[in-house]
Amino acid sequence: MEMETLPFEVIAPAGQTLGESATWCVRAQMLWWIDIRAPQVKRWNRASGAIDVWTMPELCGAVVPTTGAEVVVALRAGIQLLDPRTGTLAPLATLETGHPEHRLNEAKCDRQGRLWCGSMWDFGKHPTGGLYRVSTDLETRKVRSAVSIPNGIGFSPDGRRMVFVDTATRRIESAAYDTDAGLPGPWSTLVEADAAPGRPDGNTVDAEGCIWSTRFGAGCIARFTPQGKLDRLIRLPVSQPTSCSFGGPHLDTLFVTSATQRLSPEALAAEPLAGALLALRPAAQGLPEPPFRWNAPTAP
């Protein structure tokens, strides 16, 4: 399939080591993302163009808005609540204990506002990670084991199908999703490993149920139909795109994070936008990313 080339805008400059977890907050009209290695949480204000930065105490694997002013951040072993007004962190739930080599990676919410989060041995050295669900009452449950690099969590527009990527396998998997129980059924391969160039990293699901998959190492985004058929390839000016999210007032701007991690000096010189946050208009409309609807304790 021939790659498309679209105009793009640079939202945040190049040089981020491992930009990830692009998430558009519809309520605030702002984009959240992270640099895992910095480690930093970042926010772009569409109205002013300002970028705010919060430095985390340890590696940060994801950021997800809540229904309030705070956001959830996934640190090494657990999720915490970041209040952007004060910069303070408050622990919410511990997902892993006894795995000092592990860190959390990738987090998204289902359409009901439950949080899904992956864990991994850093750099995916061993398939010892997992996939966790955090309910709105903060009950945690490990739903999947033997994961190397969790990525690509997403849900169909009606919330009745879930997709997931273990980047090490290069496949996109799919399962029927019980919206009442908040659990996936048996997993099956939706997109084969050789269906598109590169390795599947983060993704987002659009209003038609198509999956937009960032292709790490191949410098492009692939769109797959709900049936898993490749129907578009869009070239990017960065070789290591990592995540994407539709945003803007009409949810028709696709924001894409990227990385410089492990690029040689020669590769960096040839790729001046590596690590930048980009925006493009691919003539498609996204869906609002659901916030985490945790049941915050009420004041006495």
Side-chain angles (χ1 to χ4, degrees):
M1 176 176 288
E2 186 175 348
M3 284 199 193
E4 306 171 45
T5 300
L6 300 178
F8 63 87
E9 181 183 356
V10 178
I11 301 298
Q16 295 173 93
T17 304
L18 190 51
E20 261 286 7
S21 193
T23 306
W24 179 258
C25 179
V26 172
R27 176 181 53 80
Q29 291 290 293
M30 296 182 184
L31 184 83
W32 291 89
W33 80 102
I34 59 171
D35 184 339
I36 293 176
R37 301 290 172 198
Q40 292 175 334
V41 174
K42 303 186 179 188
R43 182 183 67 186
W44 175 67
N45 185 321
R46 175 183 170 271
S48 67
I51 295 175
D52 298 307
V53 179
W54 295 265
T55 298
M56 296 292 101
E58 56 192 34
L59 295 180
C60 179
V63 58
V64 176
T66 69
T67 53
E70 302 87 0
V71 293
V72 170
V73 293
L75 300 183
R76 269 202 175 271
I79 59 171
Q80 299 201 28
L81 201 64
L82 169 65
D83 188 335
R85 298 162 297 189
T86 62
T88 55
L89 288 166
L92 283 184
T94 298
L95 302 189
E96 295 211 325
T97 57
H99 296 285
E101 308 89 351
H102 280 199
R103 66 171 178 83
L104 300 185
N105 190 73
E106 176 78 354
K108 291 281 183 70
C109 291
D110 66 12
R111 303 293 172 200
Q112 291 70 43
R114 306 178 189 96
L115 183 73
W116 284 84
C117 186
S119 71
M120 61 183 284
W121 190 298
D122 200 16
F123 294 101
K125 290 182 178 179
H126 302 285
T128 53
L131 181 62
Y132 292 85
R133 187 202 66 194
V134 182
S135 299
T136 55
D137 62 0
L138 299 184
E139 176 195 13
T140 64
R141 176 170 176 172
K142 191 174 187 178
V143 175
R144 181 164 171 162
S145 301
V147 173
S148 292
I149 308 173
N151 271 310
I153 299 169
F155 296 86
S156 61
D158 66 3
R160 298 189 177 277
R161 291 209 69 83
M162 181 177 181
V163 293
F164 176 71
V165 170
D166 184 343
T167 297
T169 71
R170 298 178 181 252
R171 299 191 303 268
I172 299 177
E173 298 180 56
S174 173
Y177 189 73
D178 187 326
T179 58
D180 293 327
L183 291 171
W187 294 97
S188 62
T189 298
L190 177 68
V191 176
E192 295 289 352
D194 59 354
R199 293 184 291 163
D201 202 318
N203 62 38
T204 192
V205 178
D206 69 18
E208 297 179 351
C210 294
I211 301 164
W212 296 72
S213 170
T214 54
R215 311 299 296 188
F216 192 90
C220 63
I221 291 180
R223 187 178 79 163
F224 299 97
T225 68
Q227 294 74 39
K229 179 183 177 182
L230 175 66
D231 73 346
R232 291 181 72 179
L233 277 175
I234 299 174
R235 180 181 290 105
L236 297 170
V238 293
S239 64
Q240 297 184 155
T242 53
S243 73
C244 58
S245 178
F246 279 100
H250 306 293
L251 295 175
D252 59 357
T253 299
L254 189 64
F255 296 95
V256 183
T257 56
S258 66
T260 59
Q261 183 168 278
R262 293 183 167 175
L263 289 178
S264 67
E266 294 78 17
L268 287 171
E271 192 179 319
L273 289 178
L277 171 67
L278 308 173
L280 54 152
R281 301 283 292 276
Q285 187 172 34
L287 292 167
E289 288 288 356
F292 184 38
R293 299 183 181 278
W294 76 294
N295 298 320
T298 57

